[in-house]
Amino acid sequence: MKLTEYRDRSRFIEIAEPFLLKKEAENNLMLGLIGAFKRTIPAADVYTAAVVEDGEPAITMLMTPPHNLILSFNEDGMTETILLETVRALVKKGLHIPGVVGERKWTEAFAKIWSIETEGRAEIVMEQKIYRLHELAQRKRGEGKFILAELAHLPLLTEWMVDFMNYTNEPPITALQAAGRMKQFIAEKSVFLWMAEGKPVSMAKKSRTTKNGICVSLVYTPDEFRGNGYASSCVAELSEHLLKDFSFCTLYTDLSNPTSNSIYQKIGYQPIQDSIMISFSS
């Protein structure tokens, strides 16, 4: 087993991308970030590494601080020994990891070993499921209209983004930071709204692209508008729009929210992998 860290992102992409594309939808998070690396120079503190066993990647790792370390495993060749040696190598290098996210079985095992080796705590933040959509099963929409978000919506969508980040246990974000990111999303024409009675009631965003797919993210409906099918209509309309250019859409759900999981399956999304987010503390 050999752990290699890559300051040369092109070398990491060369090693990791063919491996990740074998399960393109499941690996949409890391592949999406790799796609971004191809378009822009990543920040200096972006961490990329791979564990190679018998000439094949066993684990690929990517971290964009302050976010968690993303883990992708070659499940056919993974062993507890490889995992133990990997964690020990990372600890020896003094790498600071706020948490991990990845396929549930091996990510949980990684976190358990990490907490033992660092004498720290590992806490489950969110149990997730990854879904994939090839074809819409439900085309009926609720009352309302699907539109592209505009700059006039920025103040409201800034509030929604702050609420969304808090709701999903993402790293804290200020209103100023949210406004900056949302302004960029609007400029990129990536945020969409469902309108009811002339006002925005739900939002969704097209996000990371991979070779054949694209992710739907930032799905949010304020409390006062929930239970009316607005999120379902918004996601269905956006997904149908995206499937004109991509073979499939993916999205993540929080398993503690049975309503959203049910909604997406009715639209036609199929579960493909259990994922987990775990945070570390001393």
Side-chain angles (χ1 to χ4, degrees):
M1 185 222 84
K2 182 181 180 182
L3 170 68
T4 303
E5 297 173 318
Y6 299 91
R7 293 191 178 277
D8 181 350
R9 311 300 180 208
S10 62
R11 181 59 180 154
F12 173 73
I13 292 171
E14 182 182 329
I15 295 294
E17 190 172 38
F19 160 67
L20 296 169
L21 282 171
K22 292 177 182 178
K23 290 189 173 182
E24 183 180 351
E26 291 88 338
N27 291 319
N28 73 86
L29 180 55
M30 195 178 297
L31 282 168
L33 291 170
I34 283 176
F37 291 171
K38 292 180 178 179
R39 298 188 297 272
T40 61
I41 299 174
D45 59 351
V46 168
Y47 180 82
T48 52
V51 173
V52 176
E53 178 76 7
D54 297 329
E56 292 290 329
I59 311 172
T60 56
M61 293 171 273
L62 191 156
M63 180 168 63
T64 57
H67 299 284
N68 294 326
L69 179 70
I70 305 165
L71 299 168
S72 184
F73 303 95
N74 183 345
E75 296 174 50
D76 293 333
M78 272 305 301
T79 65
E80 292 283 351
T81 300
I82 293 174
L83 212 55
L84 176 60
E85 291 179 2
T86 299
V87 171
R88 285 179 172 171
L90 293 171
V91 172
K92 186 177 180 180
K93 290 176 180 292
L95 183 67
H96 171 69
I97 301 175
V100 286
V101 60
E103 182 275 330
R104 177 158 194 161
K105 175 185 174 181
W106 289 109
T107 300
E108 277 193 302
F110 179 104
K112 182 178 180 180
I113 296 171
W114 180 269
S115 65
I116 292 171
E117 294 295 319
T118 61
E119 298 182 347
R121 294 178 58 193
E123 180 181 359
I124 295 175
V125 176
M126 189 183 300
E127 296 170 297
Q128 302 172 305
K129 193 172 285 291
I130 303 175
Y131 285 85
R132 176 177 57 206
L133 172 74
H134 285 289
E135 183 178 358
L136 281 147
Q138 175 180 302
R139 297 185 180 276
K140 183 181 179 180
R141 307 289 186 265
E143 292 294 325
K145 183 180 180 182
F146 179 73
I147 69 166
L148 182 66
E150 300 176 351
L151 201 55
H153 300 120
L154 180 59
L156 177 64
L157 298 190
T158 296
E159 292 180 20
W160 285 10
M161 187 169 185
V162 171
D163 289 344
F164 174 86
M165 298 296 276
N166 290 333
Y167 178 75
T168 55
N169 294 310
E170 291 286 338
I173 189 171
T174 67
L176 185 62
Q177 290 170 326
R181 291 174 65 178
M182 187 58 71
K183 188 174 182 180
Q184 178 183 347
F185 295 158
I186 292 172
E188 294 170 346
K189 301 184 184 302
S190 63
V191 179
F192 297 81
L193 303 174
W194 189 258
M195 307 287 288
E197 298 180 0
K199 60 185 177 183
V201 292
S202 187
M203 73 172 174
K205 178 182 181 296
K206 64 177 183 180
S207 190
R208 302 172 300 275
T209 59
T210 60
K211 184 178 180 180
N212 300 293
I214 188 167
C215 185
V216 174
S217 66
L218 208 62
V219 179
Y220 179 76
T221 304
D223 288 343
E224 63 267 31
F225 300 130
R226 291 177 186 170
N228 296 295
Y230 297 145
S232 178
S233 295
C234 190
V235 170
E237 196 76 38
L238 176 56
S239 300
E240 185 173 33
H241 171 70
L242 296 175
L243 286 174
K244 294 175 183 177
D245 298 313
F246 295 90
S247 297
F248 63 85
C249 300
T250 55
L251 56 76
Y252 281 79
T253 64
D254 180 352
L255 285 179
S256 70
N257 187 340
T259 300
S260 64
N261 283 271
S262 173
I263 285 173
Y264 298 136
Q265 290 185 68
K266 287 177 180 177
I267 292 171
Y269 279 88
Q270 299 294 319
I272 56 172
Q273 187 179 87
D274 287 329
S275 177
I276 196 162
M277 184 186 300
I278 301 173
S279 66
F280 298 141
S281 60
S282 56

